[in-house]
Each structure stands twice: as structure tokens, then as C-alpha cells.
Amino acid sequence: MYKKPVINRVDFSLSSKYGSPVKSQKVKSEIDGIKIEELVKEFGSPLFVFSESKIKETYEKFKEAFESRYPEVQFFWSYKTNYLNAICKVFHKLGSKAEVVSEFEYDKARRNGIDGRDIIFNGPHKTKEALRKAVKEGAKIHIDHWWEIKDLEEIAEELGVEIPVAIRCNMDTGVYPQWSRFGFNIDNGEAYDAIKRIFEGKKLFLIGLHTHVGTFMLSANAYYVAAKKLTELKNKVEADFGFEIEYIDMGGGFASKNRLKGIYQPPEVIVPTPDDYAEAITSAIFETNKGKLPKLYLETGRALIDEAGYLITSVFAYKRLADGKKSYILDAGVNLLYTYFWYNFEVFLTKRYDNLTEPAQLNGPLCMNIDVIAENIQLPPLNRGDILTIWPVGAYNVTQWMQFIEYRPRVLLIDLDKNVRIIREKEDLDYVIEKETE
Ligand SMILES: *Cc1c(COP(=O)(O)O)cnc(C)c1O
């Protein structure tokens, strides 16, 4: 199709003090040895693709970092980060138990074969029915607020049992804004007061202390501070109330290798390694703990799955914007990439192109102005059907994606034997309108 040629001014806003963006072409033609073009031919576009071998590799790195430093470590897979059953089962097979933040996630973990006792039940909204079920099944309940203490005491009374509980704590770790809306504050004495209240109520007993200090935490030191404060609290409440704290749960929040917007240095430079996080946490516990060493629980989410997930999308059309910039319309957009609001993803071509690159914008299929997944990216001229691979997208996107305007696409898992499995089917009209009643 003939298009009138245009002359463009060089867009200097593309440069920063770190230089101008790379003009070379980033190419990725396969995932785990399977050609991306073949995947599209067989399974359509767009497609989410997960790599089991990448999940395993990342999990083992974290596991080793912690287990080489600490005697008893247990990972609990954070369901909300990616709760597709097949993905959860990969983590469960690797030895991870489950961490859930709602009744829905709790039920999902149970249906995935996880025993109630192997589920950590977090979150600010646990209904009384959900709590009652979790208590009966022996789940590890992490109390978020005072109302929950009262609810649990009533359940204890009703069932005639004493309930083992943990509380979630928050604190100043030197990273701001501080997450203070979940759990009880250590610094102002609220966490201690909550434990005192639990002690005096005599219906619950404390077995664990939990924190989840934030997400995408680029400071390993924040974990050092948090582990120290939790362990100090453990020492104090063991001495004052005679509780035996079985475990300290450091939550999740370790950063993945994604590029945060506004940060120009590459992830390899700024993201702490699994060893950095593990060293910070375990050294704080060793230095601070009095009495029996607690078990160490972790609820790492994004750092374990982000890099194992790819979104494959195809060019549907392109146009010139009024300022001359090229805009590609892709078949996947922010409906599928919730994390776009924080990250500048890597965008790969499936092959090398001969032509020069030029600045372009990537738009999704939505009839919404906000549907932009890259504002300034250097690309060679692409045509309808050309494929782009967006990475890393494994964390939060297949849970926070929206059925909005478009159907949600298929999700594939390439397993350790390189079998390609469909782990979630593309949606259709029947699925979408199933719950409508008129
Ligand atoms: C979301 C969440 C996690 C996982 O967080 P990541 O940042 O994905 O590691 C762990 N624990 C709790 C309580 C959470 O809410």
C-alpha cells in the first residue's frame, strides 16, 4: 500500500542524561527453544506464554540463597501474583505452600490440593464465614486489624477451641511512602498492644509474626530493618507473655528484573540479588534473636514469576500521528498489561529487519486514549502480522487483566519437557455473558 513519505524531526526527548536509547534491534525468536512464530501460527495472537523452566530456575535461586543461610525456610506462593492453577501447581510441585488474601484465593488453593494447614491467610477482608472455615481447616491466620481479633475470639468461643494466630506488623523501614495500612504498627506500640490484647483474651495464642513491607523493594536494607524489628518484638512478647513464636514471615516484595518507569539504570544494576535479600533478612534474625530460632517464611511473588511470563502480540495496523510519529495498533494493550503503569517493558522483534529504526508508539486495540504500551520505542518498519514479544509480564497481569472491550486470550505453559500446554482458553461470548440474567 503506498503511503506518502514524511520527514520527521529527531525527537530529542528520547535522550536522557544516560544517553540516547539503543538503536539496535532486540530480537527474540524463541521461548525455551520453541519458535514464537510457530506458537502464533498454532495458538493465535495475542498469547501469554509462561516458561516452567524459568520459574524453576528462579525459584531455586531464591531457595538456595535462603536455605544456604538459614536452617528452616518455607516459601508460600502468593496467589494474587498469578493464580492460574497450572502456575500455582508448578510452585506447589517445587515445594511452595500457599499464601492467599481472600476467601476466593483460599478456596482456589484448597481446590489445588493444598491442605488448610499449608495456607497462610492474609488480607484485610476475611469475612467471618471465611475465617470460620480457615480455623476449622487449621490455616495460618494472619490478623490484620482489631476487628479481626474480635471475630476470631467469637469463633473460638463458638467452636470451643483456642486458635493459633499470627499478626501482621508494619513499621518504618526507611523506604517511603511507608505501608502502614496493613496490620499493626510496631514503632508506636500498637503491635505490642494487639498481642497483649490477644494474651488477655485467652482465646487466641500467638505463634507467628508477619510483615510485608512493600512491593518492588529496591532496598535489601529495608528487609534488614524489618527482620530486626520483628525479631525484637518476638523476644519481647515471648518474655512478657510466654508465647512461643514458631515463625517469622517476611512477606514478599522482592523486585523482579523489570524496568520501573523513571529509573534509567538497568535492573541488573539496581535490583538486589536473591543473596542480598537473604543476607539482609537472615543476618538480622541471627543478630537479634533470643531463645529458639524461629522458622523463616517467605511469600515472594513477583520476583519468582515476572521473568517467566511473555506476552506475544501482533501488529494489526499502523498510522502516522499528527506530529508524524508512527503508531502501531497491536492486538494486545493495557487490558492485558496492568503493570504497564509502572514498567517500561522490553519489546522484542522475532527476527532482524534490514531497515533503519525510527521512533514509534505502541498502542493496544482498545478504543481508549490511555491504551499505550510504549510511548517512544525504536522499531524498524513493521507490517500487519509482524510479531512483538513483551517481557517480563509474568507477575500480576494474568490476575489484574480486564475483560474490557476485548476477550482475554489464551495462556500457554511450556513445561520442562518442552510440551506446549494451553493452561487457560481464550474467552468467548458465552463465557463473558454467563452471569448476566437478562
Ligand atoms: C502481594 C503480597 C505478597 C507478594 O508480593 P510480591 O510483591 O509479589 O512479592 C506477599 N504477601 C502479601 C501479604 C501480599 O499482599
Side-chain angles (χ1 to χ4, degrees):
M1 208 191 322
Y2 176 74
K3 288 268 171 49
K4 194 169 63 166
V6 288
I7 297 174
N8 279 337
R9 207 156 45 107
V10 174
D11 187 350
F12 286 105
S13 68
L14 277 169
S15 306
S16 74
K17 65 175 174 172
Y18 294 94
S20 41
V22 193
K23 296 270 162 67
S24 65
Q25 300 180 8
K26 289 184 194 159
V27 177
K28 181 167 183 62
S29 59
E30 47 185 57
I31 300 170
D32 290 357
I34 311 226
K35 285 236 172 313
I36 290 170
E37 285 173 352
E38 294 300 316
L39 289 173
V40 169
K41 231 178 257 161
E42 186 168 352
F43 299 101
S45 174
L47 272 180
F48 271 101
V49 180
F50 286 88
S51 155
E52 184 173 0
S53 74
K54 187 68 192 174
I55 296 175
K56 185 162 183 278
E57 179 195 319
T58 315
Y59 180 81
E60 282 172 356
K61 243 183 243 162
F62 272 92
K63 188 168 140 78
E64 197 181 297
F66 281 91
E67 288 187 349
S68 61
R69 289 177 169 82
Y70 203 82
E72 259 193 280
V73 180
Q74 177 63 52
F75 285 82
F76 292 77
W77 175 239
S78 157
Y79 262 50
K80 77 170 186 295
T81 309
N82 187 323
Y83 46 57
L84 291 177
N85 286 342
I87 299 294
C88 295
K89 285 175 183 167
V90 167
F91 282 102
H92 296 325
K93 199 170 71 182
L94 288 166
S96 219
K97 296 175 177 179
E99 184 269 338
V100 305
V101 292
S102 68
E103 183 173 17
F104 154 66
E105 290 186 2
Y106 183 88
D107 292 342
K108 212 162 193 291
R110 291 285 292 118
R111 205 179 279 191
N112 279 338
I114 302 301
D115 197 290
R117 284 167 300 191
D118 293 331
I119 300 176
I120 288 175
F121 196 177
N122 281 320
H125 179 236
K126 309 179 187 80
T127 63
K128 215 155 167 189
E129 297 72 56
L131 277 177
R132 196 177 287 115
K133 173 167 56 186
V135 165
K136 286 184 184 159
E137 296 179 348
K140 299 182 201 319
I141 296 164
H142 290 187
I143 301 174
D144 185 76
H145 48 69
W146 294 93
W147 292 77
E148 204 175 320
I149 296 180
K150 183 166 171 289
D151 286 339
L152 281 165
E153 286 182 343
E154 285 170 11
I155 292 168
E157 184 78 27
E158 180 194 311
L159 301 177
V161 293
E162 252 192 282
I163 304 172
V165 295
I167 64 164
R168 176 161 179 178
C169 301
N170 66 70
M171 69 212 73
D172 186 348
T173 62
V175 172
Y176 309 101
Q178 184 185 331
W179 278 21
S180 61
R181 62 157 287 206
F182 301 110
F184 303 89
N185 189 266
I186 290 186
D187 305 313
N188 68 11
E190 188 191 25
Y192 182 85
D193 290 345
I195 295 167
K196 186 157 178 259
R197 168 73 178 69
I198 287 169
F199 173 73
E200 286 167 352
K202 297 205 167 5
K203 296 189 170 59
L204 316 177
F205 61 102
L206 192 74
I207 60 161
L209 291 173
H210 168 230
T211 191
H212 171 61
V213 291
T215 193
F216 213 96
M217 301 286 289
L218 290 169
S219 159
N221 189 60
Y223 288 92
Y224 177 85
V225 175
K228 199 167 176 63
K229 288 188 178 182
L230 271 193
T231 313
E232 280 165 358
L233 182 63
K234 166 192 177 283
N235 294 340
K236 189 160 168 55
V237 301
E238 285 186 336
D240 291 0
F241 307 120
F243 289 130
E244 249 185 64
I245 305 301
E246 280 174 34
Y247 65 87
I248 280 184
D249 178 349
M250 291 302 299
F254 302 151
S256 67
K257 297 277 163 56
N258 234 315
R259 280 167 200 271
L260 273 186
K261 288 189 175 177
I263 293 185
Y264 294 99
Q265 288 154 305
E268 297 72 34
V269 176
I270 56 159
V271 174
T273 62
D275 284 305
D276 295 336
Y277 289 121
E279 184 61 28
I281 290 171
T282 58
S283 64
I285 301 175
F286 283 128
E287 286 166 20
T288 317
N289 185 61
K290 296 196 182 116
K292 193 161 172 265
L293 207 57
K295 292 178 193 164
L296 173 58
Y297 290 173
L298 296 156
E299 305 166 347
T300 309
R302 75 171 75 242
L304 294 182
I305 188 72
D306 221 7
E307 290 129 77
Y310 302 83
L311 177 62
I312 299 174
T313 175
S314 306
V315 172
F316 180 69
Y318 55 83
K319 54 167 67 167
R320 291 277 168 192
L321 304 179
D323 65 2
K325 187 176 175 188
K326 196 151 187 183
S327 151
Y328 287 103
I329 304 169
L330 307 176
D331 58 9
V334 298
N335 51 325
L336 305 181
L337 284 176
Y338 191 84
T339 60
Y340 167 69
F341 297 101
W342 294 278
Y343 299 141
N344 288 319
F345 303 112
E346 297 277 2
V347 177
F348 295 104
L349 302 159
T350 49
K351 55 176 187 259
R352 193 159 293 283
Y353 291 73
D354 291 334
N355 321 57
L356 289 173
T357 63
E358 67 166 310
Q361 168 173 319
L362 296 181
N363 291 110
L366 305 185
C367 195
M368 296 281 286
N369 200 41
I370 55 157
D371 194 11
V372 185
I373 51 179
E375 271 168 79
N376 267 320
I377 178 174
Q378 290 283 339
L379 288 173
L382 302 176
N383 247 309
R384 174 173 278 188
D386 282 352
I387 298 167
L388 295 173
T389 301
I390 298 170
W391 176 88
V393 300
Y396 293 100
N397 291 305
V398 295
T399 43
Q400 290 182 286
W401 56 356
M402 282 179 284
Q403 190 282 302
F404 177 55
I405 302 183
E406 299 266 324
Y407 298 122
R408 286 175 289 196
R410 273 178 167 160
V411 184
L412 308 179
L413 177 70
I414 303 176
D415 71 17
L416 297 178
D417 301 322
K418 302 197 190 302
N419 297 312
V420 181
R421 287 161 40 198
I422 298 173
I423 59 171
R424 193 178 194 272
E425 259 305 351
K426 182 176 161 46
E427 293 174 351
D428 57 21
L429 187 58
D430 287 336
Y431 171 84
V432 174
I433 65 172
E434 188 184 294
K435 296 291 181 190
E436 292 186 31
T437 51
E438 281 191 40

